[in-house]
Amino acid sequence: MESSEHIEDKEIEDIKKDEKVQRALIENSIVVQKDSVDALEKEAPLVGITAIIFLVCGALYYLLGWKSLPISSMYIPLAQKIVLAIMLISLVLMATRLLKKVFDRKIENKTTVFNFNRIADLFAGLLILVIVLSLLFANWYAAMVSFGIVSLILGFALQNLITSFFGWIYILTRKPYEVGDRIRIGSVFGDIINVGYLDTTLWEFNGDYLSGDHPSGRIIRFANSKVFSEYVYNYSWPLFPFIWNELSFFISYESDFKFTTDTVKSVVEKEIGEAMVRRVKRFKKILADTPVDELDVNEYPSVILSANPNTWIQVTVRYLVEPKNSGRVKNKLFEAVMAELKKNPKKVFFPNSKIKGDEPMDMPQKMG
């Protein structure tokens, strides 16, 4: 039977094999083979239709060149251009579709596949644009001059859109966030559900009507150019996918501080679970390969007592949690901690507790 230390080392190595962790450690990605070939099989009919269109257009092109079709000679060059353009466009579409499906089969990470598909569609669109322009303009020099002047005018008129497009390129290359990440940018907070050419769509958490860590039901779109002017807070760093969270409540000066501290720590450790502690320990070892001081990462909860201006003692328990579970875990911990402390009313006194002779304590004007 394998030792626990050997099992932990094996699990750490498995974590390091994750694509996002690999990229964060060495700025590289891994390729994982998929066994299924269903994706390519589903594309076979569309590829076949595209191939037929390509072959038919090729035959028409040569028939026009041989003047075998009943078309006036003056229209043959234009007809050949149209047929050639359809051939090339069909070839671009077929190659793009095949490339996307092959990439989807080779790469396991769905975010990487999503970004590649966007880039492939962009290049396919640019190639089709070039094909159409070559059809419209026989004189390439005049076409490029005209295109340059139009681009200059549009550059001034569409400056914000162009900046957002370069923001999209920046997001793909530098990856301040990806689809699925929980982020805060500017004053908005939530999970990324789409990164487009010009804007990003975010599934909002908290919001104007909520105080807890819960989806608001709204989506927010913001221009990709925001990444150049706003701080991006990403809660989904692959090398340490946890955040510190705090749970606070008040007790009186007459309470047993040591008992309260020990009880809270015990309850929180029990509720978070040993599995959570083991995960944090693994990521601490991974952090040893980075400039982050892993000694400052405490996997166990800590309790802090502090005097509050409202004449009560504030008890704060700090613990590590996965960002997307923070609201649920906080509520669970609060219920468990309160239930345990209320079992000892002679050692722990809350703001509404009665002390000595059933005389009510003075309530603070502000609970903070």
Side-chain angles (χ1 to χ4, degrees):
M1 188 173 180
E2 292 181 304
S3 65
S4 59
E5 184 176 351
H6 179 72
I7 294 174
E8 284 295 313
D9 291 340
K10 184 177 182 299
E11 290 178 341
I12 290 172
E13 289 303 316
D14 290 339
I15 293 173
K16 287 184 176 181
K17 291 177 182 178
D18 181 82
E19 183 182 356
K20 289 187 177 180
V21 175
Q22 284 268 342
R23 186 172 63 239
L25 283 171
I26 60 175
E27 296 186 355
N28 213 337
S29 61
I30 59 174
V31 176
V32 181
Q33 288 280 355
K34 287 184 181 179
D35 296 328
S36 176
V37 294
D38 293 341
L40 287 177
E41 290 178 353
K42 290 179 181 179
E43 292 298 316
L46 291 175
V47 172
I49 293 172
T50 308
I52 291 172
I53 293 173
F54 180 82
L55 293 174
V56 170
C57 289
L60 285 174
Y61 182 83
Y62 284 105
L63 288 174
L64 287 169
W66 294 335
K67 298 181 180 180
S68 301
L69 296 176
I71 298 177
S72 176
S73 300
M74 63 181 298
Y75 295 116
I76 287 180
L78 177 61
Q80 281 186 312
K81 282 187 177 182
I82 294 174
V83 171
L84 183 60
I86 295 173
M87 282 179 60
L88 294 176
I89 290 173
S90 63
L91 183 63
V92 169
L93 293 176
M94 181 174 63
T96 303
R97 187 176 293 274
L98 284 174
L99 192 61
K100 286 163 65 175
K101 291 303 175 183
V102 170
F103 194 83
D104 181 53
R105 181 170 174 259
K106 296 289 184 181
I107 300 299
E108 187 74 23
N109 187 274
K110 293 300 179 184
T111 301
T112 304
V113 174
F114 175 84
N115 292 333
F116 176 82
N117 290 345
R118 284 300 181 92
I119 294 172
D121 290 338
L122 175 64
F123 276 101
L126 291 175
L127 285 174
I128 292 173
L129 178 62
V130 170
I131 293 170
V132 173
L133 287 176
S134 65
L135 173 65
L136 295 177
F137 298 96
N139 188 337
W140 268 96
Y141 178 76
M144 293 305 295
V145 171
S146 301
F147 185 73
I149 295 173
V150 172
S151 298
L152 184 62
I153 297 172
L154 290 178
F156 285 108
L158 305 176
Q159 184 176 1
N160 290 334
L161 292 179
I162 294 172
T163 305
S164 292
F165 178 75
F166 280 105
W168 173 70
I169 295 175
Y170 173 82
I171 292 168
L172 291 186
T173 54
R174 296 297 299 159
K175 299 186 182 301
Y177 56 78
E178 296 179 295
V179 173
D181 287 354
R182 176 161 294 185
I183 72 163
R184 179 163 71 89
I185 180 169
S187 60
V188 299
F189 172 79
D191 294 341
I192 300 296
I193 59 177
N194 186 34
V195 180
Y197 298 124
L198 301 177
D199 58 27
T200 295
T201 305
L202 179 142
W203 176 250
E204 185 189 38
F205 274 67
N206 296 341
D208 298 331
Y209 308 105
L210 295 173
S211 58
D213 188 14
H214 191 276
S216 67
R218 305 186 300 188
I219 63 170
I220 298 175
R221 293 182 185 272
F222 58 88
N224 292 335
S225 58
K226 284 286 185 182
V227 296
F228 297 130
S229 59
E230 298 280 359
Y231 290 111
V232 178
Y233 301 86
N234 195 320
Y235 298 83
S236 306
W237 191 38
L239 297 188
F240 196 76
F242 310 100
I243 59 172
W244 276 269
N245 205 355
E246 292 184 346
L247 171 67
S248 299
F249 58 92
F250 293 97
I251 61 174
S252 75
Y253 279 87
E254 286 78 8
S255 300
D256 186 331
F257 296 158
K258 185 177 186 307
F259 172 81
T260 301
T261 299
D262 292 343
T263 302
V264 170
K265 284 189 66 175
S266 175
V267 170
V268 174
E269 286 180 8
K270 179 181 177 181
E271 291 297 326
I272 289 179
E274 186 61 27
M276 177 73 171
V277 175
R278 287 201 306 270
R279 286 194 64 196
V280 175
K281 285 182 177 179
R282 294 174 202 149
F283 280 99
K284 280 181 66 175
K285 292 183 179 180
I286 294 174
L287 287 178
D289 299 329
T290 73
V292 177
D293 187 358
E294 72 276 7
L295 296 178
D296 291 336
V297 180
N298 185 8
E299 63 268 22
Y300 292 97
S302 58
V303 179
I304 304 165
L305 302 180
S306 58
N308 194 275
N310 63 13
T311 72
W312 299 94
I313 295 296
Q314 180 171 328
V315 181
T316 302
V317 54
R318 183 177 298 150
Y319 55 93
L320 279 167
V321 65
E322 294 171 321
K324 295 186 179 181
N325 292 329
S326 59
R328 180 181 59 81
V329 171
K330 189 172 186 177
N331 184 63
K332 180 181 177 182
L333 291 180
F334 180 79
E335 292 178 354
V337 168
M338 289 296 106
E340 189 65 28
L341 292 179
K342 286 180 178 179
K343 293 178 181 178
N344 299 272
K346 295 183 178 181
K347 292 186 176 182
V348 183
F349 301 99
F350 296 103
N352 61 347
S353 299
K354 294 181 179 180
I355 306 174
K356 298 179 182 179
D358 292 332
E359 296 180 359
M361 296 184 63
D362 294 333
M363 293 296 293
Q365 295 182 356
K366 185 178 179 182
M367 291 302 297

